[in-house]
Amino acid sequence: MQEYYRTMDEQDSLHDQRNAFYFPQHEGKDVLYFCGNSLGLQPKGVLGLLEQEVMDWRTYAVEGHFHAKNPWFSYHSIVTESLARIVGALPSEVVAMQTLTANLHLAMVSFYRPTTQRYKILMEAGAFPSDQYAIESQARFHGFDPSDAIIEITPREGEYVIHHEDIIQAIEQNADSLALVMFSGVQYLTGQRFRMNAICKAAHHAGAICGLDLAHAIGNVELQLHDWDIDFAVWCTYKYLNSGPGGIGGLFIHDRHATSHDIPRFAGWWGYDEETRFLMKKGFTPSYGASGWQLSNAQVFQIACLRASLDIFDKVDLQTLFAKRDALTAYAEEGLVSIKQEMPQLPIEIITPKEKEERGAQLSLLFHEHGKAVIDKLIADGIIVDWREPNVIRMTPAPIYTRFSDVHAFIERFRAHCTELFSA
Ligand SMILES: *Cc1c(COP(=O)(O)O)cnc(C)c1O
């Protein structure tokens, strides 16, 4: 009988996508890369698209704004349709700009408008530090004490992931004072996927705005931002979307808010109505939708890198991608569970939820000891996973370029290292 992983790789309709990426090399072979949750691999199309812009700059200089192959004047829009499909939005609701944290600040300027009665922000405890700092500083900026203004939802005693009911209950209990419910789509440390749709419904029912941080969700899990009625969302694109270090960020603003000109915003010239932008008039006229939140002219080189990755995603049916994700992650999980059964003394727990609706591609392994030793051994094998303080290894078989045989090889090496380190 043929091994499961061989059959799965042979049947994988996304098998070719892997060849569209460069893999770092280890002893003459591709590494096994399980870090796409942190920094995606380089699409092979990147250099060509960057070269196009570099050469257009050389050839046209300032005229490139209108005469480049992809005129820089509207360069941000070359990724709009592809991003809109991935996040489940109308094109007018999406713009590629700045970085995640900058966009979070800009969105909060518009959508966190506390009053003395309604000023609280509800979020997950242990959110990514940048989000914590941004949100605390926004509360302070409005004159509130973060320890009073921010309500953090924690896992229950002795647990690692948050119960959905606890989120909803906290929203309901604080309905009188909540201004904003701000959650990540997928938690960066535990890999827990939150029920974004239900959280947003509860937030709106309580009279609050709902914002999402999709850093670990975009390109990883199903998103329907428009239909879910999310007010705003922000993301980076260098994780599952492979746009490279410092890659361009993204912003979603629901169409419902597109024409609300009373929403305050920190404006810049690139958010100005395109038709009349170069009349350079006094007084800000925003362009329709999310693009009205732009500050500066398009970050051409960053967007070119993202475009190369989206060329790959455009060819992929997202349902197929997500089905492969579930199968790969379940396969990795089964392998880990079987190792744990062989070695019950193993001081390792998988803290990511077991249900596929409650997670994406990532599995987080909590080590009560020797986590660093395991990761060092994996890296020496050419297996790239990542370490998050104080004691978590994140292992992510990103379905766009990971094979079942890669997961199989990971499990074999992981078993060998555990046997060596823990069976004494
Ligand atoms: C990766 C990540 C960020 C990174 O923010 P940048 O502004 O892109 O540096 C922020 N928030 C979360 C939840 C992340 O996972």
Side-chain angles (χ1 to χ4, degrees):
M1 202 186 78
Q2 201 176 15
E3 298 266 17
Y4 172 79
Y5 65 90
R6 292 227 170 86
T7 313
M8 290 303 281
D9 280 343
E10 279 162 20
Q11 292 173 355
D12 178 11
S13 65
L14 301 175
H15 197 260
D16 285 348
Q17 314 306 323
R18 175 185 174 84
N19 299 324
F21 292 91
Y22 287 113
F23 284 75
Q25 299 295 297
H26 175 80
E27 294 174 355
K29 287 202 299 221
D30 292 350
V31 297
L32 300 183
Y33 197 73
F34 298 110
C35 238
N37 58 294
S38 183
L39 187 76
L41 294 174
Q42 183 182 133
K44 288 183 180 164
V46 161
L47 199 56
L49 293 189
L50 272 180
E51 192 176 17
Q52 177 78 46
E53 302 316 322
V54 170
M55 294 310 286
D56 282 354
W57 175 22
R58 183 183 296 185
T59 308
Y60 299 109
V62 71
E63 305 258 88
H65 285 296
F66 297 99
H67 298 303
K69 180 170 178 228
N70 300 297
W72 304 326
F73 174 73
S74 51
Y75 199 83
H76 56 275
S77 64
I78 71 168
V79 291
T80 303
E81 299 257 348
S82 305
L83 287 173
R85 181 179 77 116
I86 292 169
V87 299
L90 304 173
S92 61
E93 294 174 319
V94 167
V95 67
M97 59 183 253
Q98 311 294 335
T99 60
L100 187 157
T101 308
N103 293 344
L104 177 56
H105 276 299
L106 293 172
M108 286 187 74
V109 162
S110 296
F111 294 102
Y112 175 55
R113 292 151 66 195
T115 64
T116 47
Q117 230 299 268
R118 200 178 262 289
Y119 62 97
K120 293 199 173 169
I121 304 169
L122 187 135
M123 63 189 289
E124 85 238 32
F128 192 83
S130 197
D131 302 53
Q132 294 185 37
Y133 308 148
I135 292 166
E136 284 168 11
S137 64
Q138 286 279 340
R140 270 196 209 95
F141 175 74
H142 287 283
F144 297 101
D145 174 358
S147 65
D148 171 42
I150 299 175
I151 303 167
E152 289 190 337
I153 310 302
T154 53
R156 293 182 190 171
E157 185 71 30
E159 298 186 355
Y160 300 106
V161 300
I162 300 172
H163 285 250
H164 177 69
E165 310 85 82
D166 293 354
I167 301 171
I168 301 300
Q169 197 182 49
I171 293 173
E172 286 167 359
Q173 279 169 354
N174 293 282
D176 294 342
S177 58
L178 268 190
L180 173 66
V181 174
M182 182 71 221
F183 255 76
S184 62
V186 174
Q187 222 283 338
Y188 83 100
L189 188 63
T190 64
Q192 178 178 16
R193 178 182 352 174
F194 295 110
R195 297 188 207 166
M196 295 168 258
N197 189 10
I199 290 172
C200 182
K201 279 208 172 58
H204 286 171
H205 190 70
I209 289 275
C210 180
L212 295 177
D213 177 329
L214 302 177
H216 283 262
I218 190 167
N220 179 25
V221 300
E222 296 81 342
L223 296 168
Q224 291 297 338
L225 300 184
H226 179 86
D227 288 350
W228 295 345
D229 219 19
I230 306 298
D231 292 284
F232 73 86
V234 295
W235 58 84
C236 53
T237 59
Y238 48 80
K239 294 173 179 170
Y240 293 91
L241 288 188
N242 316 299
S243 70
I248 193 79
L251 174 68
F252 165 92
I253 305 282
H254 199 281
D255 224 38
R256 198 152 36 79
H257 302 299
T259 50
S260 320
H261 292 316
D262 58 328
I263 295 179
R265 63 178 110 189
F266 284 176
W269 74 313
W270 228 251
Y272 200 94
D273 174 47
E274 274 195 22
E275 300 294 310
T276 50
R277 184 180 302 152
F278 283 92
L279 299 178
M280 306 295 213
K281 284 234 178 84
K282 199 167 167 58
F284 182 74
T285 311
S287 65
Y288 184 86
S291 59
W293 268 262
Q294 289 173 102
L295 296 182
S296 304
N297 64 97
Q299 291 152 262
V300 168
F301 299 116
Q302 295 298 347
I303 296 171
C305 295
L306 174 60
R307 186 60 258 165
S309 173
L310 295 174
D311 284 346
I312 303 167
F313 275 82
D314 278 357
K315 296 194 199 100
V316 168
D317 171 58
L318 293 177
Q319 291 319 311
T320 307
L321 183 72
F322 298 144
K324 181 180 173 189
R325 171 202 68 203
D326 289 338
L328 273 173
T329 301
Y331 183 49
E333 183 183 42
E334 276 164 32
L336 291 165
V337 168
S338 74
I339 296 172
K340 180 93 182 167
Q341 281 163 352
E342 291 155 27
M343 286 175 257
Q345 78 280 15
L346 215 58
I348 303 174
E349 291 173 70
I350 304 175
I351 59 173
T352 306
K354 291 183 175 57
E355 302 75 21
K356 66 183 193 312
E357 296 78 15
E358 310 276 319
R359 70 186 183 197
Q362 173 185 328
L363 289 179
S364 300
L365 311 178
L366 187 140
F367 281 72
H368 294 289
E369 56 178 309
H370 291 332
K372 273 270 164 62
V374 170
I375 204 166
D376 288 347
K377 284 175 179 290
L378 290 170
I379 287 171
D381 287 338
I383 298 177
I384 313 292
V385 293
D386 82 359
W387 176 254
R388 275 288 169 270
E389 294 294 340
N391 54 2
V392 171
I393 286 182
R394 299 185 299 179
M395 180 275 174
T396 301
I400 195 91
Y401 49 63
T402 306
R403 298 174 300 202
F404 288 82
S405 51
D406 301 332
V407 171
H408 174 74
F410 167 84
I411 292 296
E412 292 300 295
R413 296 311 301 157
F414 194 83
R415 175 184 281 112
H417 297 318
C418 288
T419 306
E420 190 185 324
L421 282 163
F422 298 111
S423 60

